[in-house]
Amino acid sequence: MGGGDKALLQLGGETLLTRVIRRLSHQVGGMMLNANGDPARFAAYGLPVRADSMPDHPGPLAGVLAGLDWAAAQGATHIVTVAADTPLFPEDLVARLVAAAREKRAPIALAATPDPKRGMNRHPTFGLWPVDLREDLRAALAGGMRKIVLWTDAHGAAAAMFEVDPYDPFYNLNAPEDMIQAAELLGVDRA
C-alpha cells in the first residue's frame, strides 16, 4: 500500500479512519486510537491516542491491552476493538458481540464469518473484551503470548457470526486492488 498509515489512505474523499470512526461512533460511548509512533499525526480526529504499553510492539494483543488500560481509567467495563483497514464492518457489530457473549456466558466475543471448509473464520481484531482480564493479558504478553485466538480460546471466547453476502464485512484493505474493490462496494471513487 506504499507504506505509512493505511488508516490515513483516502477512499471516496475520506480517510479509512474517518469511515471507521463514523461506523463505530454510534455503537460505543467513547473511542481511542491505538497507534505507535508520533500521535500528532492523528490530532485532527480529536481522539486520545495510546501506544502499546508493552515493549517491542508484540502485536495486536498489545493494542487490546492499551485499550483495556485506557478503558479502566475511564471506568468502563469492556472495550470493542476494530481494525482501521476494514471500513465495511457491520453497523451492528457491538450489539451482536455483546449478544454472543451473553448467550454463551463468555467474557470475550469475537466476530466470525462462515467458512465452508473450517466452519467459521474468526476475525479476532473485531472483539468485545472485558477490562477485568487486562492483568491476565498483560501477564500473557510478558510470557510471550502473541496469538490472539490462543489467548481468547483459553478464556472461552464466543463467536458472533456475520454473513458474507453480499460481501465480507471484515474485508480488510491490504493492496491497491482491495481499495478499488472497496470503492466499488461503497459506490465511491477510489481517492
Side-chain angles (χ1 to χ4, degrees):
M1 297 288 270
D5 291 305
K6 279 198 291 184
L8 299 179
L9 292 175
Q10 294 279 317
L11 179 64
E14 296 181 304
T15 65
L16 294 178
L17 185 55
T18 296
R19 291 180 171 280
V20 166
I21 289 170
R22 185 173 54 245
R23 204 160 189 100
L24 186 60
S25 64
H26 71 277
Q27 299 185 58
V28 296
M31 288 188 278
M32 60 84 58
L33 299 174
N34 168 240
N36 297 308
D38 185 2
R41 68 194 194 274
F42 299 108
Y45 296 92
L47 295 175
V49 180
R50 299 292 182 265
D52 294 348
S53 60
M54 301 297 289
D56 303 321
H57 310 298
L61 279 173
V64 172
L65 180 58
L68 291 172
D69 286 342
W70 176 80
Q74 308 305 308
T77 61
H78 290 77
I79 65 168
V80 170
T81 56
V82 301
D85 65 351
T86 310
L88 302 170
F89 66 87
E91 295 198 52
D92 63 348
L93 174 72
V94 175
R96 291 178 63 188
L97 288 170
V98 169
R102 284 186 180 149
E103 180 182 330
K104 300 291 184 188
R105 295 183 182 189
I108 300 167
L110 302 177
T113 52
D115 183 309
K117 294 179 184 173
R118 297 181 298 185
M120 75 172 155
N121 183 25
R122 290 186 285 187
H123 304 279
T125 55
F126 291 85
L128 172 72
W129 313 84
V131 171
D132 289 349
L133 287 179
R134 70 190 176 111
E135 295 309 325
D136 183 273
L137 178 54
R138 192 181 325 278
L141 283 163
M145 176 66 69
R146 299 297 179 262
K147 292 258 188 204
I148 296 174
V149 295
L150 290 179
W151 187 76
T152 59
D153 284 355
H155 292 284
M161 291 298 291
F162 294 87
E163 292 303 316
V164 294
D165 186 29
Y167 59 85
D168 182 346
F170 303 103
Y171 175 70
N172 65 326
L173 311 180
N174 291 320
E177 306 82 54
D178 298 334
M179 292 289 283
I180 292 167
Q181 185 173 359
E184 290 171 1
L185 289 169
L186 290 167
V188 298
D189 293 330
R190 183 194 177 282

